[in-house]
Amino acid sequence: MTSSVFLVVLCLSLWLGARVRGDCGPCAPDSCPPVACQVPELLVKDGCGCCPQCLSVEGEECGGRGERRARCAAGLVCVSQPRTGGTEGTGLCVCEEDGAVCGSDGRSHRSICALHLRSWAEAHAGRGGIHKVHDGECKLAPVITLAPKRIHNITGAQVYLSCEVKAVPTPVITWRKVTESPKGTKLLEDLPGDRVNVAVQIRGGPSRHESTGWVLINPLMKEDEGIYQCHATNMVGETHAEGTIKVVEQLKVKRSHHRTSENKK
């Protein structure tokens, strides 16, 4: 049964049920309050077949009393949920088909009901409708949302570089140090390797579908100076970003500070 047919059947059955119960008075269209639905597909008549009313979408209130009681759109059911400030005898509209879906717009939608609502809105905006591509969220190649920074510090200090990556499915994040061979060929050294002063850590977050990777160096040594690469990959693709560490030897800093002090005398 298509959505439009389902809406017609739903409205007719509710209208007939109200008439049979005799709880509908004379219809006075001029006294009906104005309504503005998100999309025309949600506009119906109330339980008495008199005034216009918007069907509720996912997460909106449903139920209540009288001919103005809220009703869910096609594909949703009214589920009673105790909540602070809620009206007695009401619930929330919940999609019958649970779970996220990937739409032809390349975006993940929290449910097929949310996709249908978005499809209606896009169609009325002249951009064409949206259909489901597959169940589950859309796959996304890694995108680095926060790249490693440039760090300038002295030997003996503790420093770290971090990067944040968004991807679906969850990406694998690795760290590498960029070096050059005697012949000038670019080399990538996987970290931490055999470096006792280097540690690498990965965790999920800070947001959904994001992962964060760190490389921690303690104590910082002169040979740690250079370019560090955050590399992320999943089944869809891969990407990388680079940060740098500049190291000044602590002895040179002390000598410079001493000369400055001498000059001030």
Side-chain angles (χ1 to χ4, degrees):
M1 183 181 295
T2 64
S3 297
S4 59
V5 174
F6 181 86
L7 289 176
V8 172
V9 173
L10 175 63
C11 297
L12 182 59
S13 61
L14 290 171
W15 180 80
L16 289 174
R19 289 297 182 185
V20 170
R21 292 192 305 273
D23 56 3
C24 295
C27 180
D30 293 341
S31 65
C32 294
V35 296
C37 302
Q38 294 186 46
V39 291
E41 285 83 354
L42 299 176
L43 183 63
V44 296
K45 294 290 186 179
D46 63 19
C48 290
C50 180
C51 294
Q53 183 181 27
C54 293
L55 295 172
S56 297
V57 298
E58 194 171 10
E60 292 185 343
E61 189 174 83
C62 55
R65 301 179 183 279
E67 70 277 4
R68 296 297 295 170
R69 62 189 177 278
R71 293 165 288 161
C72 298
L76 298 115
V77 293
C78 188
V79 177
S80 177
Q81 295 186 4
R83 60 193 188 283
T84 305
T87 307
E88 183 181 359
T90 63
L92 292 177
C93 292
V94 177
C95 191
E96 291 181 319
E97 297 183 35
D98 189 25
V101 296
C102 179
S104 56
D105 57 348
R107 297 181 179 180
S108 298
H109 302 264
R110 64 178 180 179
S111 68
I112 188 65
C113 300
L115 183 145
H116 286 160
L117 180 61
R118 184 66 183 174
S119 179
W120 286 334
E122 290 294 298
H124 287 291
R127 292 187 286 268
I130 302 169
H131 63 271
K132 183 180 81 170
V133 176
H134 60 74
D135 291 324
E137 297 182 344
C138 297
K139 293 178 175 59
L140 173 67
V143 176
I144 294 181
T145 56
L146 182 63
K149 298 180 179 179
R150 295 180 179 179
I151 293 188
H152 190 179
N153 216 319
I154 61 174
T155 54
Q158 174 179 294
V159 300
Y160 74 91
L161 292 169
S162 67
C163 72
E164 296 175 7
V165 184
K166 185 173 184 179
V168 182
T170 302
V172 175
I173 299 177
T174 55
W175 283 91
R176 302 165 176 172
K177 186 178 181 186
V178 182
T179 60
E180 285 189 3
S181 69
K183 295 183 178 180
T185 304
K186 185 176 181 180
L187 302 176
L188 298 175
E189 175 192 352
D190 292 328
L191 298 176
D194 58 358
R195 294 173 177 260
V196 296
N197 66 327
V198 176
V200 171
Q201 183 180 2
I202 312 295
R203 71 164 177 82
S207 302
R208 192 163 177 256
H209 299 314
E210 284 190 339
S211 295
T212 303
W214 294 271
V215 57
L216 174 69
I217 305 176
N218 184 30
L220 184 65
M221 296 184 289
K222 182 60 178 177
E223 54 264 36
D224 296 319
E225 185 173 86
I227 300 173
Y228 289 77
Q229 184 184 100
C230 172
H231 183 265
T233 181
N234 69 0
M235 62 184 296
V236 187
E238 61 181 297
T239 188
H240 70 270
E242 295 177 347
T244 59
I245 296 179
K246 176 70 175 178
V247 183
V248 178
E249 294 187 66
Q250 194 172 36
L251 183 59
K252 292 182 179 180
V253 173
K254 289 181 178 179
R255 287 176 178 172
S256 175
H257 178 71
H258 178 71
R259 285 196 298 269
T260 303
S261 299
E262 288 294 325
N263 292 333
K264 290 181 178 180
K265 291 181 181 180

